[in-house]
């Protein structure tokens, strides 16, 4: 079964509005979560690393004031796309590493498809 | 700049054949290697992980890692039409961060 959930799965909004996407680890704690963006026919591009209890780490070229990340608890990270524009329309996917006895496995949420009109 | 490279394909194989997917990476410090399968419009699904040189088998899937050549591959035996998807190679270092390749689109035809 799913170990990472995302909500909403699909959202359509008007240009200029803000959209919040939630990412939850369902049966494990995640001090770190990752946010990716994927445009059609392209690979996943890491946007930022969400850190529980501290500021997110953004990848080069990602505007931290536009993509607000809050890691409020050990099972929840949120990504808010502020003042969304049509070029922000994309597939947003979060992931969380699940700690194993010797190795870690990163699980992905089902993704959120954002369409900005 | 850490890079992971894959042939974008499409790789077309007949049903029942072996599909071979390849990936190279630039960072010699990479420690973990993953293959994800992604169906159109869906998020990636973990297929295999491999951490040491050699082969690792799981059902119809075999991952092969050669750190000296900075090369990792995925073999799919007895390919089925349901295996048609984009296969993403991902490489990690000593953090949890993964770098993804652009993916190889596999088409298995009946």
């Amino acid at each position: 079964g799913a170990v990472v959930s995302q909500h909403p799965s699909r959202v359509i909004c008007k240009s200029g509005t803000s959209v919040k996407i939630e990412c939850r680890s369902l049966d494990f704690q995640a001090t770190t979560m990752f946010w990716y963006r994927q445009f059609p026919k392209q690979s996943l591009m890491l946007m930022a690393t969400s850190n529980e209890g501290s500021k997110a780490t953004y990848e080069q070229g990602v505007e931290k004031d536009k993509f607000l990340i809050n890691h409020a608890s050990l099972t929840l990270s949120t990504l808010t796309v502020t003042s969304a524009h049509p070029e922000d329309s994309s597939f947003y996917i979060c992931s969380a590493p699940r700690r194993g006895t010797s190795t870690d496995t990163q699980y992905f949420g089902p993704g959120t498809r954002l369409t900005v009109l | 700049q850490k890079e992971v490279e894959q042939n974008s394909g499409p790789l077309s194989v007949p049903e029942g054949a072996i599909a071979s997917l390849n990936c190279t990476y630039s960072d010699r410090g990479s420690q973990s290697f993953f293959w994800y399968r992604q169906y159109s419009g869906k998020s990636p699904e973990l297929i295999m992980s491999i951490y040491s040189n050699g082969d690792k088998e799981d059902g119809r899937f075999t991952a092969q890692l050669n750190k000296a050549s900075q090369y990792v591959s995925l073999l799919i035996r007895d390919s089925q039409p349901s295996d048609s998807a984009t296969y993403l190679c991902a490489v990690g270092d000593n953090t949890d961060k993964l770098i993804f390749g652009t993916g190889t689109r596999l088409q298995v035809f009946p």
Side-chain angles (χ1 to χ4, degrees):
Chain A
V3 296
V4 176
S5 69
Q6 270 184 253
H7 177 80
S9 59
R10 188 179 296 269
V11 58
I12 301 173
C13 69
K14 293 182 178 179
S15 184
T17 60
S18 295
V19 175
K20 179 186 284 188
I21 303 170
E22 294 186 348
C23 177
R24 293 180 186 274
S25 56
L26 297 181
D27 59 355
F28 65 99
Q29 294 180 335
T31 56
T32 302
M33 292 185 178
F34 298 93
W35 286 97
Y36 296 84
R37 181 167 54 180
Q38 186 177 36
F39 292 107
K41 299 191 185 302
Q42 295 187 22
S43 189
L44 279 73
M45 295 302 296
L46 179 64
M47 298 176 66
T49 303
S50 175
N51 304 299
E52 190 271 334
S54 63
K55 291 182 179 180
T57 306
Y58 291 81
E59 296 299 303
Q60 191 173 6
V62 178
E63 300 175 57
K64 63 180 182 181
D65 294 330
K66 180 171 181 63
F67 299 99
L68 302 180
I69 291 173
N70 183 21
H71 200 135
S73 74
L74 288 172
T75 60
L76 173 64
S77 173
T78 61
L79 168 68
T80 301
V81 183
T82 62
S83 186
H85 288 92
E87 58 265 31
D88 298 323
S89 298
S90 188
F91 193 42
Y92 292 85
I93 311 172
C94 70
S95 71
R98 185 177 189 173
R99 309 298 178 196
T101 52
S102 59
T103 59
D104 299 338
T105 300
Q106 196 157 150
Y107 290 95
F108 285 84
T112 297
R113 187 160 302 281
L114 171 64
T115 303
V116 184
L117 302 177
Chain B
Q1 182 79 1
K2 299 177 183 178
E3 294 182 345
V4 177
E5 297 194 358
Q6 295 179 255
N7 188 318
S8 62
L11 172 65
S12 294
V13 300
E15 184 175 357
I18 296 175
S20 177
L21 305 163
N22 304 313
C23 171
T24 59
Y25 59 94
S26 64
D27 183 12
R28 282 196 172 274
S30 300
Q31 299 184 5
S32 54
F33 307 86
F34 305 88
W35 283 99
Y36 286 86
R37 177 174 63 196
Q38 187 176 27
Y39 292 110
S40 180
K42 303 293 185 182
S43 69
E45 170 193 11
L46 182 65
I47 298 296
M48 292 282 288
S49 60
I50 187 166
Y51 303 91
S52 55
N53 281 328
D55 295 0
K56 179 181 178 183
E57 186 174 320
D58 184 0
R60 296 187 295 114
F61 300 97
T62 299
Q64 300 174 316
L65 175 61
N66 183 326
K67 290 186 178 181
S69 299
Q70 295 175 239
Y71 173 93
V72 59
S73 65
L74 178 70
L75 299 178
I76 306 175
R77 289 181 299 281
D78 188 23
S79 295
Q80 302 297 309
S82 58
D83 294 327
S84 298
T86 296
Y87 288 80
L88 301 169
C89 172
V91 175
D93 52 22
N94 60 348
T95 69
D96 292 316
K97 188 183 294 189
L98 295 180
I99 305 298
F100 282 85
T102 53
T104 298
R105 190 157 63 93
L106 173 66
Q107 294 177 337
V108 181
F109 56 90

